[in-house]
Amino acid sequence: MAVLPIRISGDPVLHSPASAVTEFDDELRTLVSDMFETMDAAPGVGLAGPQVGVPLRLFVYGWTDDDDVLHRGVAINPVLWISPAGTEELDEDLEAEGCLSFPGERFPLRRSESAILEAVDLEGQPFQVRADGWLARIFQHEYDHLDGVIYVDRLTHPFGKAAAKASRKNSWGVPGLSWLPGRDHLED
């Protein structure tokens, strides 16, 4: 197992739709194992293939809810069904999210409260997960990565403006930038 470099906003793999997984082999199992190790080292609650430079439709997730239940798995070639998002004012604390490909920053984003994830596992077996709250948010966030969307692309004013400023300040938005969990600096 290995910790993989995480691509930073601006890398083309993060801004392009990913391709379906077609080979369910040892190479895929190694990738998934490395993605879990990378996510845990970051630390994060989800990590998509494009974030580690692999343009395939898969993501891993791992999050413990308030009842101390661990939700952990891999979703390959997922389809995501979501409920309509609310229209009330954003709660800047409860709806703030971050992204390992936009490291160190958090901004509020309205997401749907519930979701149904349909995908296959490492053996190609289909499964379904019904999620509410934070787990539904994680699924939506990671699924966006598979379509070439980073959460900051969805931010409304004034948060989108603040994200653009953070990107400029950190010299992001260009190809080739990454960081390796466990190190204090970004790599290029």
Side-chain angles (χ1 to χ4, degrees):
M1 292 194 321
V3 173
L4 305 171
I6 298 174
R7 305 294 175 96
I8 294 175
S9 180
D11 195 290
V13 74
L14 294 170
H15 305 285
S16 302
S19 300
V21 173
T22 57
E23 299 291 327
F24 290 78
D25 55 13
D26 287 342
E27 189 175 321
L28 179 65
R29 285 185 233 326
T30 298
L31 172 63
V32 168
S33 179
D34 291 348
M35 288 175 64
F36 274 117
E37 187 170 345
T38 303
M39 177 187 70
D40 293 341
V45 295
L47 185 68
Q51 291 182 275
V52 294
V54 179
L56 293 175
R57 297 190 72 79
L58 78 153
F59 65 82
V60 297
Y61 60 94
W63 171 72
T64 303
D65 66 23
D66 291 339
D67 295 326
D68 217 26
V69 174
L70 176 63
H71 303 271
R72 190 171 176 91
V74 59
I76 300 171
N77 298 332
V79 174
L80 191 67
W81 306 94
I82 58 173
S83 64
T87 58
E88 58 277 356
E89 190 172 326
L90 273 172
D91 185 312
E92 292 185 36
D93 294 321
L94 295 177
E95 294 182 279
E97 61 184 74
C99 180
L100 297 176
S101 290
F102 207 86
E105 303 292 335
R106 291 184 67 78
F107 298 100
L109 175 64
R110 175 61 34 85
R111 296 278 192 184
S112 296
E113 181 60 29
S114 58
I116 299 172
L117 173 70
E118 294 177 346
V120 298
D121 63 18
L122 275 171
E123 306 307 317
Q125 296 302 308
F127 69 91
Q128 184 181 86
V129 177
R130 293 177 182 271
D132 294 303
W134 198 253
L135 186 58
R137 178 177 292 272
I138 293 167
F139 289 165
Q140 291 167 77
H141 181 110
E142 299 310 325
Y143 190 84
D144 273 353
H145 279 298
L146 306 182
D147 289 336
V149 176
I150 297 178
Y151 90 107
V152 295
D153 298 335
R154 294 191 178 278
L155 297 175
T156 58
H157 185 76
F159 308 109
K161 186 175 181 179
K165 183 177 179 181
S167 182
R168 284 190 305 275
K169 178 183 170 204
N170 288 297
S171 300
W172 298 340
V174 297
L177 297 179
S178 65
W179 68 282
L180 191 64
R183 294 193 181 167
D184 294 331
H185 64 281
L186 300 178
E187 297 184 340
D188 53 27

